[in-house]
Amino acid sequence: MSVSMATTGSGPGKARAHARWLLVLYATALVLTLTAGVPGRARAEGGMSADRLTALFERYGDTSGRWNGADRTASVRLPDGRLLWLFSDTFLGPVGPDGSRPRTASFINNSAVVQQGDELRETVHGGTADDPASLVPPPAADQFHWIGDAQVVGGTLQVLVNRYRRTGDGPLDHVLLGTSLATFALPGLTPTAVRPLPLGERVSWGSTLLRDGGHTLIYGTEASGETKFAHVARVAGDDLQGPWEFWTGSDWAPAADRSARILSGVGTTYGVQRVGDRYVLVTHENNLVFSADLVAYSAAGPTGPFDGPDYLHRAPETDAGHLVYDADLHPDLARPGKLLISYNVNNVDDAVTYADAGLYRPRFVEVDWPRSRPDRADVPAAPAALTAEARGAGNAELRWRPVPTDDELRYLVHRRNVTAGQTHFVRIGEPTAEPRASADFLVNGHRYEFRVTAVGRRGEGPPSAVAGMTATVPPPPPPGGLRAEAGRTGDVAVRWEPVPFVQLFRLYRRDVTAGQREPALVGTFTGTSATVSSLWHARTYEFTVVAVGGGGDSPPSAPVRATASVGPPAAPARLTVQAQPDGNLRLGWANLGPGISYRVYRRDVTAGRSRFDSPALESRPSHLARYLEHGHEYEFAVSAVDRDREGPLSPPVRGRARFTAPQVVPTDLRVTRVGTSEVELAWRSASPGGWHRIYRRDLTAGEREFTEEEVPVQGTEATIRQLRNGHEYEFTVAAANQAGAGRQSRPVRAVPRLPTPGGLAATAGGNGEARLTWRSAGPGLAYRVQLRDVTAGGEWRTDPVPVSGTDFTAVLLVRGHRYEFRVAATDGVDTGTPSAPVAVLAR
């Protein structure tokens, strides 16, 4: 993984939808919402104002030409004083003149921005400026990392990241795989490792970190149904690579599966900060779907129990139909007596996020803490006689006795979903002056508890007694007024009418042209519109929408059809070619955006080719041209392909392939096996899959110079054949390419030998004969039989005729004489070592 701090180009497209769509947390996860800030005053002593920080990111996103939007927004102070901002899903590249985010904007799953003093200076990511990649790379093609919190330990930056795997094409089609620890060497932010932690898949750890006393506390989030729960673990000291302990509800234990829930209604990201002798936890109020409220809970200890919520701020962006989420605290920048909180803004409709680049950026808000509390005598009394009655329409009718007072009162209704395991009451609806209210958006069969407070001029009074009920919610009616309008880039805008008491809708599509029989889920949406992308040219699609309420899913809407249109993409611009030392040519060009692939054409100009070869296919804006001829000039052109529509060729570029002889010498040359007439060699190489030349010389024959083997070897192993058995050889190896061979390695020696036959036996026969038998020494070998007359004091002599089998009959022996026999293998040129002799008395 490389690190780039330059202007970035375009990146992969499909990851965007899967990554950003986790914001729509229906059923398995709730959307995080936080509060807004207004641009304004600059930095104050002891910190930075929320207004200043919001303006910083607005200006950097609009003018840097590198980073133009992201979510998550964690911060960590580096030892040299810089502040590092860490983000999850990130758009890179410049903003359009109209303030929109170009469809060609690169999209990666995590990144960082470096702040020096009061200014944002650098964007940090993996890959290159022209072909950016995530700062923490994915472990597999269908997986990605989202950022948790981070800290500095010595000269190392530790970042907790959560691993997810895509399970389909829908926005919610992903599953948590676990938590890893990414490390970076400082000050250069050089990636060093990404190590999975043995924490399981139930909790996404790293929502926030807090150093407290002799421990580092690690908070995490468990998504269970419609509710999210906070968990807490700890390590002794400050190194997250040490052993973790988990809060069980009463004590600390080393087993992750014993981790207990400490609070409901948190987001995937939240902040915990110690203020005085209290611990304050700030989060989006996630006990409600799509809440606009930012709340705080506080406790005497880091594990709770927590009091609250205190309502800190209501984000105005939700009034425009946007989502707010990803709460975090930034104590390193907070001004005295204040909590500095960031949050992010997005929209479930992809087209809205592209149309306004300022939408997908962090906002900041600061609030006074601790909060001032009114005197109990100055606030209204608790309302009495609260009742909650289930209504057939899926809501609860609440009534209570008015609080007698001369003050102008408003009442606030608070709700807790007992069945979902919510630990605290959450404020619902708008304040009312009447002693009655209706609670909507309930879930069928769930048990709810309610209470009411009265609010006067000096504050909110204590809550009423609790009233409970079990909801009976019918399925909603199907959405009406469905319409679809095709764009020019393979997209279709789908719109429908709202449904009362419904916040979520599922959009389905069916490819009519392709004969698809069952509709496929596109995604879950919170508004009444969605833009469906990546459709195929001239295909007709059918769309339906289902309303998702507390009583289940509605019947599907009446279908509507649209025919997608995809204009041919433009020719890729800024095509360049660079010669590589290994003789390859590397091409690069400007990315045309997500979902675009490329065809790379080439022809050998030196060889006189007039036409391009069959194109190579690339999904990214780069290509490595291989298998080229040394010294040949090649011409390249690139076209873009959007689904099945190929655009025109780019202007061509030329490059000449030039190899440089390898400079690295192979090491550890060794003989791995010595056989008959052959030797097997192995070695280490800087290019394990590259080509190598083998050299040999016959020392026994007196050769002084090495001879190059005729055929080069690819890889780091070779078998050298047709050697003289019994001769000592010396071998070396050198890396090679079309420019020639590099320097030779240190030599090794070996002596190939013929095998020695075994199992020789001799049996005397009559008439001066002896029969010999032995075991085969191997295929393709013959044998030479040697004998001597021991009684006559004779010398060893070899029978003149080689034996092809494994038996031999000696004749014309002198009766009464003792003979010895032995056998040696021969390859027709050399004869090996003879076997041990056997004796026989001739008869």
Side-chain angles (χ1 to χ4, degrees):
M1 179 178 65
S2 62
V3 175
S4 171
M5 294 186 181
T7 303
T8 56
S10 294
K14 262 195 171 182
R16 175 192 318 110
H18 300 293
R20 288 179 26 258
W21 277 103
L22 190 63
L23 310 177
V24 188
L25 302 174
Y26 168 71
T28 57
L30 297 177
V31 178
L32 308 175
T33 49
L34 275 179
T35 58
V38 181
R41 295 172 297 173
R43 175 172 179 154
E45 184 177 354
M48 293 186 73
S49 72
D51 302 340
R52 170 66 172 163
L53 282 167
T54 300
L56 275 182
F57 280 98
E58 280 296 310
R59 184 170 67 251
Y60 190 74
D62 285 341
T63 64
S64 70
R66 293 167 286 190
W67 179 100
N68 69 60
D71 62 7
R72 173 56 177 100
T73 320
S75 64
V76 58
R77 180 72 68 182
L78 302 182
D80 58 9
R82 293 176 298 166
L83 192 72
L84 187 70
W85 296 94
L86 290 159
F87 298 97
S88 289
D89 291 342
T90 305
F91 286 103
L92 300 172
V95 172
D98 60 351
S100 66
R101 179 173 286 115
R103 286 280 177 176
T104 57
S106 297
F107 182 86
I108 56 178
N109 292 122
N110 51 78
S111 69
V113 172
V114 178
Q115 179 177 334
Q116 291 180 316
D118 288 354
E119 296 297 331
L120 304 176
R121 298 290 187 185
E122 300 163 328
T123 299
V124 188
H125 54 76
T128 65
D130 290 330
D131 190 14
S134 297
L135 179 63
V136 182
D142 62 343
Q143 299 178 18
F144 56 91
H145 286 118
W146 279 331
I147 293 291
D149 208 353
Q151 65 173 12
V152 174
V153 180
T156 299
L157 174 69
Q158 296 184 337
V159 184
L160 287 170
V161 294
N162 291 301
R163 301 191 316 279
Y164 291 87
R165 176 174 56 84
R166 297 183 184 89
T167 58
D169 292 335
L172 299 180
D173 291 338
H174 45 256
V175 61
L176 176 68
L177 298 181
T179 302
S180 297
L181 182 65
T183 53
F184 300 81
L186 298 173
L189 293 173
T190 305
T192 54
V194 182
R195 183 170 69 90
L197 299 175
L199 304 175
E201 303 172 0
R202 181 167 65 111
V203 177
S204 58
W205 293 100
S207 300
T208 193
L209 296 172
L210 176 65
R211 289 183 180 174
D212 187 50
H215 291 86
T216 298
L217 299 167
I218 310 106
Y219 289 84
T221 303
E222 173 197 359
S224 177
E226 295 181 354
T227 308
K228 285 189 172 183
F229 299 91
H231 289 248
V232 62
R234 71 180 186 180
V235 294
D238 56 10
D239 189 354
L240 297 178
Q241 299 180 93
W244 288 35
E245 294 181 308
F246 304 86
W247 181 248
T248 66
S250 59
D251 203 352
W252 297 96
D257 59 1
R258 294 190 60 192
S259 180
R261 299 168 174 175
I262 62 172
L263 180 70
S264 73
V266 296
T268 303
T269 297
Y270 52 93
V272 179
Q273 183 176 332
R274 185 168 182 174
V275 181
D277 59 353
R278 300 281 292 178
Y279 295 79
V280 56
L281 186 155
V282 173
T283 181
H284 158 252
E285 179 48 89
N286 217 17
N287 284 308
L288 289 178
V289 179
F290 311 128
S291 171
D293 289 322
L294 170 70
V295 298
Y297 296 86
S298 62
T303 62
F306 287 91
D307 298 327
D310 283 302
Y311 286 81
L312 306 179
H313 189 80
R314 171 159 287 193
E317 289 85 0
T318 58
D319 295 338
H322 305 312
L323 304 177
V324 292
Y325 59 102
D326 274 5
D328 208 350
L329 286 167
H330 304 278
D332 283 341
L333 288 174
R335 298 192 292 180
K338 295 182 181 294
L339 298 177
L340 178 63
I341 309 158
S342 66
Y343 68 95
N344 295 105
V345 183
N346 200 358
N347 194 289
V348 294
D349 190 341
D350 206 48
V352 176
T353 306
Y354 275 101
D356 181 5
L359 180 65
Y360 194 56
R361 292 173 186 167
R363 273 74 162 168
F364 294 83
V365 64
E366 53 189 344
V367 297
D368 294 333
W369 193 269
R371 305 288 290 224
S372 60
R373 309 288 182 186
D375 191 291
R376 184 73 176 264
D378 294 334
V379 296
L386 175 65
T387 60
E389 181 181 356
R391 295 289 181 163
N395 57 352
E397 189 69 28
L398 306 175
R399 295 183 181 275
W400 58 91
R401 193 160 48 231
V403 175
T405 180
D406 295 333
D407 201 355
E408 183 178 337
L409 291 183
R410 291 290 185 270
Y411 298 97
L412 294 174
V413 177
H414 308 262
R415 184 185 80 192
R416 185 168 76 94
N417 188 333
V418 179
T419 303
Q422 291 179 355
T423 57
H424 290 71
F425 284 85
V426 58
R427 184 186 298 171
I428 63 172
E430 298 297 325
T432 177
E434 300 298 324
R436 57 185 176 271
S438 178
D440 304 319
F441 303 107
L442 306 181
V443 178
N444 188 47
H446 279 217
R447 178 71 181 174
Y448 291 88
E449 291 181 343
F450 299 90
R451 62 189 189 187
V452 180
T453 58
V455 181
R457 285 176 294 182
R458 292 186 176 89
E460 183 178 4
S464 68
V466 172
M469 52 80 69
T470 299
T472 302
V473 185
L482 187 64
R483 51 204 182 275
E485 182 179 354
R488 292 290 300 166
T489 60
D491 59 303
V492 171
V494 184
R495 295 176 175 81
W496 56 92
E497 299 299 327
V499 176
F501 307 120
V502 169
Q503 294 174 299
L504 294 170
F505 299 88
R506 292 198 185 104
L507 175 62
Y508 294 84
R509 78 171 181 220
R510 183 171 69 90
D511 189 334
V512 178
T513 304
Q516 185 179 1
R517 302 185 66 179
E518 296 296 329
L521 176 65
V522 175
T524 304
F525 300 86
T526 59
T528 56
S529 66
T531 300
V532 186
S533 304
S534 302
L535 303 177
W536 291 88
H537 177 66
R539 289 193 185 181
T540 298
Y541 295 86
E542 184 176 86
F543 300 92
T544 54
V545 179
V546 169
V548 182
D553 292 358
S554 74
S557 68
V560 65
R561 292 185 177 186
T563 299
S565 176
V566 181
R574 303 197 303 275
L575 177 61
T576 61
V577 59
Q578 291 182 335
Q580 307 296 303
D582 57 4
N584 296 327
L585 294 173
R586 181 170 292 281
L587 281 72
W589 56 90
N591 201 331
L592 290 179
I596 301 295
S597 59
Y598 305 92
R599 293 177 182 170
V600 182
Y601 297 84
R602 87 179 183 199
R603 68 186 183 94
D604 188 335
V605 178
T606 303
R609 301 282 180 84
S610 60
R611 295 184 178 181
F612 285 113
D613 298 333
S614 297
L617 303 180
E618 295 289 353
S619 60
R620 303 179 70 90
S622 63
H623 173 73
L624 186 64
R626 304 173 184 268
Y627 312 115
L628 307 177
E629 293 292 332
H630 178 58
H632 281 217
E633 185 178 36
Y634 293 84
E635 185 174 80
F636 299 89
V638 180
S639 68
V641 180
D642 190 356
R643 271 77 76 185
D644 55 348
R645 304 298 302 277
E646 182 177 9
L649 290 177
S650 67
V653 296
R654 291 188 177 188
R656 189 175 299 275
R658 294 191 181 278
F659 289 82
T660 300
Q663 301 298 309
V664 180
V665 179
T667 60
D668 192 24
L669 176 63
R670 58 200 181 277
V671 177
T672 57
R673 189 182 73 86
V674 177
T676 303
S677 305
E678 66 182 28
V679 170
E680 292 183 2
L681 304 174
W683 59 91
R684 297 183 187 275
S685 173
S687 179
W691 291 94
H692 297 83
R693 283 286 184 179
I694 310 296
Y695 303 85
R696 71 175 174 186
R697 63 179 175 179
D698 187 337
L699 299 177
T700 303
E703 293 179 356
R704 303 184 64 179
E705 301 296 330
F706 282 96
T707 301
E708 183 181 82
E709 292 293 302
E710 185 174 343
V711 180
V713 174
Q714 187 176 21
T716 56
E717 296 179 348
T719 300
I720 313 303
R721 296 182 172 86
Q722 297 181 344
L723 303 177
R724 292 287 303 275
N725 289 294
H727 283 221
E728 185 178 29
Y729 289 87
E730 198 168 59
F731 303 93
T732 64
V733 63
N737 58 28
Q738 291 188 37
R743 290 186 294 128
Q744 297 176 19
S745 69
R746 292 182 177 180
V748 294
R749 293 183 178 185
V751 180
R753 298 187 183 278
L754 289 164
T756 300
L760 178 61
T763 304
N767 301 319
E769 295 181 355
R771 179 174 173 78
L772 305 177
T773 59
W774 59 89
R775 291 194 298 271
S776 172
L781 296 177
Y783 304 91
R784 304 303 297 268
V785 177
Q786 301 173 2
L787 73 158
R788 68 174 178 173
D789 187 338
V790 178
T791 302
E795 299 292 331
W796 287 100
R797 62 184 177 85
T798 301
D799 191 88
V801 179
V803 179
S804 60
T806 57
D807 62 89
F808 175 79
T809 301
V811 298
L812 302 176
L813 304 178
V814 179
R815 293 180 181 181
H817 280 218
R818 185 172 180 271
Y819 287 88
E820 285 186 342
F821 297 90
R822 62 189 187 189
V823 180
T826 178
D827 59 1
V829 178
D830 298 306
T831 300
T833 304
S835 65
V838 297
V840 67
L841 186 64
R843 293 184 294 174

